[in-house]
């Protein structure tokens, strides 16, 4: 099986999988993909075909806009590029595959920044739009990760840093009307929470479509918004990194970030519920438990204990957000929960934007095994995918509203790489993950073996996963072999750094590297480091594995 699959992987002609391109700009985009050497093969043609269909559909979402260079579009009915998603988390994922398009996408938001400092919330062929702010994933984090992963272009970094510095000033000036030093939402669309009960009886857009104003006759506006405040907190942490990279002091940004964090907890955190809520203009909490929690955690708010508690009480709780196909956009035990995914709604269905935002929160706290609880059912949903919709039914995993939606497309590419591929990291690491999709739906097998390749600095790496073990090849020669259920971490030259337990079980077996063998037993989330080139040594305290709850 292993040799067969490796031969299949090496025989894949990606250009043939893509077929005839539809527009002139696609040629260069495909060429860039090929330069990264990314290919995926599986024992089952079905999941492999979904993967390459996603790649074909991705090209439909990479479109020259307001000039000759292509940028990433949201896709589906969304004709353009949105800051909350396409211009941040979507482009952050795309940076691993087609970085030039990501960089052009980021820069275009800076290019169309308004004189007062406001960055457009979307870009379309008709130009920029400034009607609302629509912030979720921090732009600075996405820009920093792109910078670290793709050659450290300081001209790019300086340009984006200056734009984000000015935008921070705009938010302080115009979204702090209550003088709290937090960030206020003036309308539903400020957070992209269309049809969410969070914003019932709040207008969709700012007053007279002016992002500086809220409806003056509203009895509840403005809201002090936890996700917007957390966004600015995290934004400032990464602006501090940028400042230091550019030869400035990062301390002023860290001081501002600390203020944002303090205000987030002061105004939006409920100690009894251990949840973040909006605070309305009557000083009342808007008690809707929504994916705001996941958004705040993805902004690196809270320590290990805080995140673990959120997992136990909410994110992995089947009464709250951990549906069969997670994560729901409203807690399932809220009477306002609406599971239908056949229209654009954040009232309950599992949205792909939540799914691509989630990994950072889990991995930031080393909750690798717990993230696989999400990857497995979503991979099963991919297995039957045909349209790449905006949302999934939390109950059945069936595709919902719209099609050719870039967050869904990128979720396929991202989750395959995280579960059973080769993933480059911003800290000059490579992740080789030895897991396989699991038959969670009706016992239908997705793949008993997979293979994945990538080129890193001119070197070709290949990973073949079977039910028993995983083998890493470097330029065609065996580099490393380890048991199924582990992740091997190397540097960009392929030198082993550590092994991570990726299964709830204790993974036992033999690791082979540089002509030596070690018998290991690695528990879930444990990390063993390669020490002094002679031994694998456990260097972290056992944090254990958190199981889903049914309270």
């Amino acid at each position: 099986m292993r040799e067969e699959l490796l031969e299949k992987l090496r025989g894949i002609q990606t250009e043939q999988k893509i077929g005839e391109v539809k527009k002139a700009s696609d040629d260069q985009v495909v060429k860039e993909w090929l330069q990264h050497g990314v290919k995926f093969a599986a024992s089952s043609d079905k999941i492999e075909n979904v993967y390459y269909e996603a790649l074909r559909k991705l090209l439909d979402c990479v479109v020259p806009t307001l000039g000759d260079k292509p940028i990433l579009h949201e896709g589906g009915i969304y004709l353009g590029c949105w800051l909350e998603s396409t211009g941040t988390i979507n482009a952050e994922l795309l940076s691993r595959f087609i970085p030039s398009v990501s960089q052009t996408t980021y820069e275009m938001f800076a290019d169309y920044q308004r004189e007062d400092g406001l960055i457009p919330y979307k870009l379309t062929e008709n130009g920029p739009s400034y009607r609302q702010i629509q912030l979720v994933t921090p732009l600075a984090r996405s820009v920093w990760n792109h910078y670290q992963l793709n050659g450290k272009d300081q001209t790019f970094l300086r340009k984006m840093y200056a734009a984000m510095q000015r935008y921070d000033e705009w938010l302080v000036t115009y979204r702090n009307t209550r003088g709290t030093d937090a960030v206020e939402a003036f309308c539903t669309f400020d957070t992209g929470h269309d049809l969410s009960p969070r914003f019932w009886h709040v207008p969709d857009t700012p007053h007279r479509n002016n992002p500086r104003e809220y409806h003056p006759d509203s009895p509840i506006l403005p809201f002090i918004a936890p996700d917007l405040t957390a966004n600015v907190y995290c934004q400032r942490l990464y602006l501090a990194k940028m400042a230091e990279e550019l030869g400035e002091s990062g301390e002023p940004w860290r001081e501002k970030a600390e203020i944002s964090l303090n205000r987030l907890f002061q105004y939006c955190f409920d100690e009894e519920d251990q949840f973040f809520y909006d605070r309305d203009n009557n000083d009342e909490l808007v008690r809707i438990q929504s994916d705001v929690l996941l958004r705040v955690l993805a902004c690196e708010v809270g320590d290990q204990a805080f995140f673990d508690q959120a997992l136990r009480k909410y994110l992995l709780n089947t009464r709250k957000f951990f549906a069969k196909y997670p994560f729901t956009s409203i807690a399932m035990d809220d009477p306002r929960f609406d599971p239908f995914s056949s229209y654009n709604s954040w009232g309950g269905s599992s949205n792909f934007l939540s799914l691509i935002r989630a990994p950072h929160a889990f991995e930031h706290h080393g909750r690798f095994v717990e993230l696989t609880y999400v990857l497995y059912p979503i991979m099963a949903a991919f297995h039957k995918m045909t349209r790449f919709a905006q949302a999934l039914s939390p109950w059945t995993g069936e595709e919902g509203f719209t099609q050719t939606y870039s967050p869904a497309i990128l979720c396929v590419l991202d989750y395959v790489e995280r579960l059973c591929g080769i993933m480059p990291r911003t800290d000059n690491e490579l992740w080789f993950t030895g897991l396989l999709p699991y038959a969670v739906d009706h016992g239908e097998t997705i793949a008993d073996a997979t293979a994945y390749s990538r080129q890193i600095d001119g070197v070709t790496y290949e990973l073949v996963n079977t039910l028993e073990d995983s083998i890493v090849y470097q330029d065609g020669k065996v580099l490393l072999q380890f048991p199924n259920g582990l992740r091997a971490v190397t540097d960009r030259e392929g030198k082993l750094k550590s092994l991570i337990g990726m299964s709830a079980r204790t993974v036992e077996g033999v690791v082979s590297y540089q002509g030596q063998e070690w018998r290991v037993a690695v528990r879930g989330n444990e990390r063993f480091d390669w020490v002094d080139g002679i031994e694998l040594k456990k260097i972290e305290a056992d944090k254990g594995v958190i199981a889903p709850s049914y309270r």
Side-chain angles (χ1 to χ4, degrees), residues 132-301:
Q132 63 250 13
I133 56 174
Q134 205 152 334
L135 299 178
V136 184
T137 299
L139 176 60
R141 190 195 86 196
S142 298
V143 166
W144 177 255
N145 287 343
H146 174 85
Y147 169 81
Q148 290 286 319
L149 197 60
N150 293 289
K152 297 189 176 182
D153 178 353
Q154 285 214 352
T155 301
F156 162 73
L157 189 69
R158 192 173 296 279
K159 175 180 179 177
M160 296 306 300
Y161 174 75
M164 290 183 288
Q165 184 177 34
R166 292 177 59 216
Y167 193 25
D168 184 88
E169 293 169 1
W170 188 94
L171 291 168
V172 169
T173 303
Y174 298 107
R175 290 305 182 101
N176 183 32
T177 65
R178 294 163 64 176
T180 62
D181 291 326
V183 184
E184 296 162 357
F186 288 179
C187 65
T188 304
F189 290 170
D190 274 343
T191 67
H193 260 146
D194 306 42
L195 295 187
S196 171
R198 173 188 182 189
F199 288 107
W200 280 359
H201 310 297
V202 169
D204 281 344
T205 61
H207 185 54
R208 295 177 179 172
N209 293 329
N210 183 347
R212 297 181 180 184
E213 297 183 20
Y214 58 87
H215 183 30
D217 295 327
S218 169
I220 53 177
L221 288 177
F223 286 177
I224 300 174
D227 43 354
L228 297 181
T229 304
N231 176 292
V232 169
Y233 160 71
C234 190
Q235 184 86 355
R236 288 170 167 177
L237 291 181
Y238 281 86
L239 286 171
K241 294 175 187 280
M242 293 180 190
E244 290 171 346
E245 184 79 1
L246 296 170
E248 302 176 13
S249 172
E251 195 55 34
W253 285 117
R254 278 189 282 272
E255 290 173 359
K256 290 179 180 180
E258 188 66 22
I259 292 171
S260 294
L261 184 64
N262 290 338
R263 298 303 179 264
L264 171 68
F265 278 91
Q266 179 180 347
Y267 292 104
C268 299
F269 187 66
D270 182 78
E271 289 285 353
E272 184 175 348
D273 290 351
Q274 294 288 294
F275 205 90
F276 295 95
Y277 301 110
D278 297 292
R279 186 174 290 274
D280 73 11
N281 203 25
N282 305 301
D283 209 30
E284 294 287 337
L285 292 176
V286 181
R287 293 186 179 276
I288 306 289
Q289 292 184 349
S290 73
D291 71 307
V292 157
L293 175 64
L294 185 55
R295 293 178 173 198
V296 169
L297 294 171
C299 287
E300 304 178 11
V301 170

Side-chain angles (χ1 to χ4, degrees), residues 404-424:
T404 315
Y405 184 60
S406 67
I409 292 165
L410 288 161
C411 193
V412 172
L413 304 180
D414 180 61
Y415 276 27
V416 166
E417 190 158 280
R418 286 181 195 276
L419 185 77
C420 53
I422 304 166
M423 183 174 172

